[in-house]
Coordinates of all heavy atoms in Angstrom, one line a residue:
R13 N 3.0 -4.8 6.6 CA 1.8 -4.0 6.8 C 1.0 -4.6 8.0 O 0.5 -3.9 8.9 CB 1.0 -4.0 5.5 CG -0.4 -3.4 5.7 CD -1.1 -3.5 4.4 NE -1.0 -4.8 3.7 CZ -1.1 -5.0 2.4 NH1 -1.3 -4.0 1.6 NH2 -0.9 -6.2 1.9
E73 N -5.2 -7.0 -0.5 CA -6.3 -6.7 -1.4 C -7.0 -8.0 -1.8 O -8.2 -8.0 -2.1 CB -5.9 -5.9 -2.6 CG -4.9 -6.5 -3.5 CD -3.4 -6.4 -3.0 OE1 -3.2 -6.1 -1.8 OE2 -2.5 -6.6 -3.9
E102 N -9.8 -1.2 -6.8 CA -8.4 -1.6 -7.0 C -8.4 -2.9 -7.9 O -7.5 -3.0 -8.7 CB -7.7 -2.0 -5.7 CG -6.4 -2.6 -5.9 CD -5.6 -2.8 -4.6 OE1 -6.0 -2.4 -3.5 OE2 -4.4 -3.3 -4.7
S197 N 1.1 9.0 -1.4 CA 0.1 8.0 -1.0 C -0.8 8.7 0.0 O -0.3 9.1 1.1 CB 0.7 6.8 -0.4 OG 1.7 6.2 -1.3
F199 N -4.1 8.4 2.5 CA -5.0 7.4 3.1 C -6.1 8.1 3.9 O -5.9 9.0 4.6 CB -4.1 6.6 4.1 CG -3.0 5.8 3.4 CD1 -1.8 6.4 3.3 CD2 -3.3 4.6 2.8 CE1 -0.7 5.7 2.7 CE2 -2.2 3.9 2.2 CZ -1.0 4.5 2.1
D215 N 6.0 6.5 -1.0 CA 6.6 5.2 -1.1 C 7.9 5.4 -2.1 O 8.0 6.4 -2.8 CB 5.6 4.3 -1.8 CG 6.1 2.8 -1.9 OD1 7.1 2.5 -1.3 OD2 5.4 2.0 -2.5
H216 N 8.8 4.5 -2.1 CA 9.9 4.5 -3.0 C 9.9 3.2 -3.7 O 10.4 2.1 -3.2 CB 11.2 4.6 -2.2 CG 11.4 5.9 -1.4 ND1 10.5 6.3 -0.5 CD2 12.3 6.9 -1.5 CE1 10.8 7.5 0.0 NE2 11.9 7.9 -0.6
K217 N 9.3 3.2 -4.9 CA 8.9 1.9 -5.6 C 10.1 1.3 -6.3 O 10.2 0.1 -6.5 CB 7.8 2.1 -6.5 CG 6.5 2.4 -5.8 CD 5.3 2.0 -6.6 CE 4.0 2.2 -5.8 NZ 3.5 3.6 -5.9
T228 N 9.4 -2.3 -7.6 CA 9.3 -3.3 -6.5 C 8.0 -3.1 -5.8 O 7.2 -2.2 -6.2 CB 10.4 -3.1 -5.5 OG1 10.2 -1.9 -4.8 CG2 11.8 -3.1 -6.1
G229 N 7.7 -3.9 -4.8 CA 6.5 -3.7 -4.0 C 6.7 -2.4 -3.1 O 5.7 -1.9 -2.6
G230 N 7.9 -1.8 -3.1 CA 8.1 -0.6 -2.2 C 9.3 -0.9 -1.4 O 9.4 -1.9 -0.6
Y271 N -6.9 4.2 -0.3 CA -5.5 4.6 -0.6 C -5.5 5.1 -2.0 O -5.7 4.4 -2.9 CB -4.7 3.4 -0.3 CG -3.3 3.3 -1.0 CD1 -2.7 4.3 -1.6 CD2 -2.6 2.1 -0.8 CE1 -1.4 4.2 -2.1 CE2 -1.3 2.0 -1.4 CZ -0.7 3.0 -2.0 OH 0.5 2.9 -2.6
E285 N -3.7 5.6 -9.1 CA -4.5 4.4 -8.8 C -5.2 4.5 -7.5 O -4.8 5.4 -6.7 CB -3.6 3.1 -8.7 CG -2.5 3.3 -7.6 CD -1.5 2.1 -7.5 OE1 -1.4 1.3 -8.5 OE2 -0.8 2.1 -6.5
N287 N -6.4 2.2 -4.2 CA -6.3 0.8 -3.6 C -7.3 0.7 -2.5 O -7.6 1.7 -1.9 CB -4.9 0.6 -3.2 CG -3.9 0.6 -4.3 OD1 -4.1 -0.1 -5.3 ND2 -2.8 1.3 -4.2
R289 N -7.0 -0.8 0.4 CA -6.3 -1.3 1.6 C -5.2 -0.3 2.0 O -5.0 0.6 1.3 CB -5.7 -2.7 1.3 CG -5.0 -2.5 -0.1 CD -3.9 -3.4 -0.4 NE -3.4 -3.0 -1.8 CZ -2.3 -2.3 -2.0 NH1 -1.6 -1.9 -1.0 NH2 -2.0 -2.1 -3.3
F290 N -4.5 -0.6 3.1 CA -3.4 0.2 3.5 C -2.2 -0.1 2.5 O -2.1 -1.3 2.0 CB -2.9 -0.1 4.9 CG -3.8 0.4 6.0 CD1 -4.7 -0.4 6.6 CD2 -3.7 1.8 6.3 CE1 -5.6 0.1 7.6 CE2 -4.6 2.3 7.3 CZ -5.5 1.5 7.9
G291 N -1.3 0.8 2.3 CA -0.1 0.6 1.5 C 0.9 -0.2 2.3 O 0.9 -0.1 3.5
D292 N 1.8 -0.9 1.6 CA 2.9 -1.6 2.2 C 4.1 -1.2 1.4 O 4.2 -1.5 0.2 CB 2.6 -3.1 2.1 CG 3.7 -3.9 2.9 OD1 4.8 -3.4 3.1 OD2 3.4 -5.1 3.2
P293 N 5.1 -0.4 1.9 CA 5.4 -0.1 3.3 C 4.9 1.1 3.9 O 5.3 1.5 5.0 CB 6.9 0.0 3.2 CG 7.2 0.7 1.9 CD 6.1 0.2 1.0
E294 N 3.9 1.8 3.3 CA 3.4 3.1 3.9 C 2.8 2.9 5.3 O 2.9 3.7 6.2 CB 2.4 3.8 3.0 CG 3.0 4.3 1.7 CD 2.7 3.3 0.5 OE1 2.9 2.1 0.7 OE2 2.3 3.8 -0.6
R380 N 11.0 -9.1 0.4 CA 11.1 -8.0 1.4 C 11.1 -8.7 2.7 O 10.2 -9.5 3.1 CB 10.0 -7.1 1.2 CG 10.1 -6.3 -0.1 CD 9.1 -5.1 -0.1 NE 7.7 -5.5 -0.3 CZ 6.7 -4.7 -0.2 NH1 6.9 -3.4 -0.1 NH2 5.5 -5.1 -0.4
Ligands
LIG26 N1 3.1 0.8 -1.6 C1 2.5 0.2 -2.7 C2 1.3 -0.6 -2.4 O1 1.0 -0.9 -1.3 O2 0.7 -1.0 -3.4

Side-chain angles (χ1 to χ4, degrees):
R13 168 183 47 207
E73 62 279 16
E102 172 168 2
S197 305
F199 298 94
D215 188 7
H216 296 60
K217 291 206 177 82
T228 69
Y271 158 7
E285 62 185 12
N287 294 311
R289 46 155 179 104
F290 286 102
D292 187 340
E294 294 99 316
R380 293 191 291 175

